[in-house]
Amino acid sequence: MVDVDTPAKAPEKDPVKRAAALWATVVAVPVTVIVGVIAFLTIMPENPDKPEKAANPIPSAPVVMDAPRLDEQTARACLAVTSQLPAKIRDLQGRPVSAGAEQNAAYGEPAITVACGVPQPIMCTTPEDTTPGCVAMDTELLIMNNVCWYAAPGAGAATITTMDREVPVRVTVPSYYENPAQWANEFSDTLVKTVKSRAAGTMPSGCE
């Protein structure tokens, strides 16, 4: 007699385990879809059809600026500054000014302006100091690329003025532009090269 192997009987499936597997699949699929959608939205641009903001057209007229008379030493220092200023900052092209090209400069529209030889902001000597226009002692000064600046916000523009240079330089940034101090910082390297810093002990403590 030849023995014939009897096929092994397939194990019966546990209905509890089968139900659990089905539920795991039902839950996993939506979660996977949600994760995929989130990843897609994260890397997708907010508006792929929206072009980058273009620079405003530059008017043909020069930028109107005052040019007060400077003493010889200040005028010489300011000429050194303006002669070394960049032709453009970021995407803003330099523009002619109505007066004092040897001490003033302008960029873009609305114009960011640079004025050399301006009055030096004065720090208040005490918390109770009532000197008109003095800068409060606890005002935070900004040291950017080795230049100390005082930033005064305004309704239409911020004015950022050097506090540590022998000849003060003021940058006026219209509110059209974000982060005005960073725009002023575009000129820091030029000022370090062209204008000496004030002697130790003569500049505000926040600059040292």
Side-chain angles (χ1 to χ4, degrees):
M1 173 184 283
V2 179
D3 292 337
V4 179
D5 292 336
T6 303
K9 185 178 180 181
E12 294 183 1
K13 294 184 178 180
D14 187 338
V16 175
K17 292 183 178 179
R18 186 168 180 272
L22 288 174
W23 275 111
T25 301
V26 170
V27 173
V29 171
V31 170
T32 303
V33 172
I34 292 172
V35 171
V37 170
I38 293 175
F40 175 77
L41 293 176
T42 301
I43 62 175
M44 184 182 68
E46 292 182 3
N47 188 351
D49 297 327
K50 183 178 180 180
E52 291 186 6
K53 187 176 181 180
N56 291 331
I58 301 298
S60 58
V63 178
V64 177
M65 296 186 68
D66 294 330
R69 185 176 181 84
L70 305 176
D71 63 65
E72 183 178 350
Q73 183 177 355
T74 301
R76 187 164 52 248
C78 288
L79 181 58
V81 171
T82 55
S83 66
Q84 296 299 313
L85 288 176
K88 63 185 300 185
I89 52 171
R90 302 187 197 178
D91 62 341
L92 303 185
Q93 191 66 41
R95 296 179 57 183
V97 293
S98 62
E102 70 284 351
Q103 64 196 75
N104 294 323
Y107 297 84
E109 173 61 28
I112 292 176
T113 60
V114 182
C116 181
V118 298
Q120 177 74 66
I122 301 173
M123 299 296 295
C124 300
T125 56
T126 66
E128 296 77 22
D129 192 344
T130 58
T131 302
C134 72
V135 180
M137 295 178 64
D138 59 353
T139 298
E140 182 178 1
L141 302 179
L142 306 174
I143 299 178
M144 302 184 294
N145 287 14
N146 298 314
V147 177
C148 183
W149 300 86
Y150 163 58
T159 56
I160 304 97
T161 309
T162 60
M163 298 294 285
D164 64 339
R165 301 289 116 181
E166 286 187 348
V167 176
V169 175
R170 180 179 64 223
V171 178
T172 302
V173 183
S175 54
Y176 174 86
Y177 302 99
E178 297 180 353
N179 302 318
Q182 290 303 318
W183 284 99
N185 191 37
E186 296 286 334
F187 306 104
S188 291
D189 290 344
T190 299
L191 298 182
V192 169
K193 295 175 184 177
T194 56
V195 185
K196 293 181 179 180
S197 61
R198 294 165 61 182
T202 64
M203 65 179 72
S205 58
C207 294
E208 297 176 345

